[in-house]
Amino acid sequence: NTLPAGWMDKLIAALPELKADGLKLGFDGDKLHVDTAGLDEQARFALSEKLRGHFAGHEISGLWDRAAAALAGLKAGFSGDDLVGALNLTNIYFDTGSATITGDSQQTLRAAADAIKQAPAGTRIELGGHTDNTGDAAGNLTLSQQRADAVATRLGELGVSAGVLSAKGYGQEKPRADSATDAGKAQNRRIEFSVV
């Protein structure tokens, strides 16, 4: 009566791309643990990106991207500006058209929370929610606020003091890139951290 694991077909399809000496994968239900520590940094980045693409929606721990490297590399006594510089390398993903944070963003948020908790006393950080220009401006403003609130709530659940964070939605009003392309739209859909 046991159903096949939800990740099995995805894993079989992804295996040809996941050949790397030292790569370890572990599955537990819908959770995936990755160990890329035995690989060089570029290989770690590339494999983590492939895994995120293949297993989006699953909770994945052990991914290694530029944000993980930057957060892990913060030196004792870092400034608020150092912190937001590292945080702004993170990508936090949501289900399409909603404020539901995807499972593959949970490790990123845990690392962000750990770093924010070590910030200098008195540091205040704004989480700015931004969308692309798909849909109407009013709906995008609402969605961006909901996403910023969702991230602030999750960081609070992970132990960040409520007084450290504020959340503000900007909708589509502050694009980072040209929304005429899918790549540009992807850059515009973001949570941006700033010291206030």
Side-chain angles (χ1 to χ4, degrees):
N1 293 327
T2 303
L3 295 173
W7 45 262
M8 185 64 72
D9 290 341
K10 292 178 182 180
L11 177 62
I12 291 167
L15 278 176
E17 298 177 50
L18 300 179
K19 293 179 181 176
D21 288 340
L23 172 64
K24 298 176 186 173
L25 301 174
F27 288 89
D28 181 6
D30 278 340
K31 296 179 182 175
L32 165 62
H33 176 72
V34 181
D35 182 352
T36 59
L39 308 176
D40 67 64
E41 193 154 276
Q42 288 306 315
R44 294 180 82 183
F45 291 155
L47 276 166
S48 291
E49 193 60 31
K50 285 178 184 174
L51 288 166
R52 177 173 268 131
H54 285 293
F55 298 100
H58 295 270
E59 186 170 334
I60 308 173
S61 62
L63 291 175
W64 193 252
D65 57 18
R66 298 195 188 291
L71 289 168
L74 287 170
K75 304 287 186 223
F78 61 81
S79 70
D81 289 335
D82 295 334
L83 174 60
V84 298
L87 290 171
N88 281 328
L89 295 173
T90 63
N91 289 312
I92 300 167
Y93 299 97
F94 301 88
D95 288 344
T96 302
S98 86
T100 302
I101 300 168
T102 61
D104 56 325
S105 295
Q106 295 303 319
Q107 176 193 327
T108 300
L109 290 171
R110 282 192 290 275
D114 290 345
I116 293 168
K117 289 186 283 189
Q118 297 174 45
T123 300
R124 296 223 354 109
I125 298 171
E126 179 187 275
L127 306 169
H130 300 267
T131 67
D132 61 30
N133 63 357
T134 303
D136 69 77
N140 285 336
L141 183 61
T142 299
L143 180 60
S144 67
Q145 183 65 55
Q146 292 170 340
R147 287 178 171 181
D149 289 340
V151 172
T153 297
R154 183 64 182 131
L155 290 172
E157 291 167 356
L158 292 167
V160 175
S161 299
V164 173
L165 303 174
S166 61
K168 181 167 175 57
Y170 291 95
Q172 63 192 40
E173 298 306 313
K174 295 187 174 187
R176 180 186 282 173
D178 185 351
S179 284
T181 67
D182 288 343
K185 286 181 180 185
Q187 289 182 57
N188 292 335
R189 295 187 300 266
R190 67 194 188 280
I191 295 293
E192 193 166 302
F193 298 83
S194 57
V195 176
V196 292

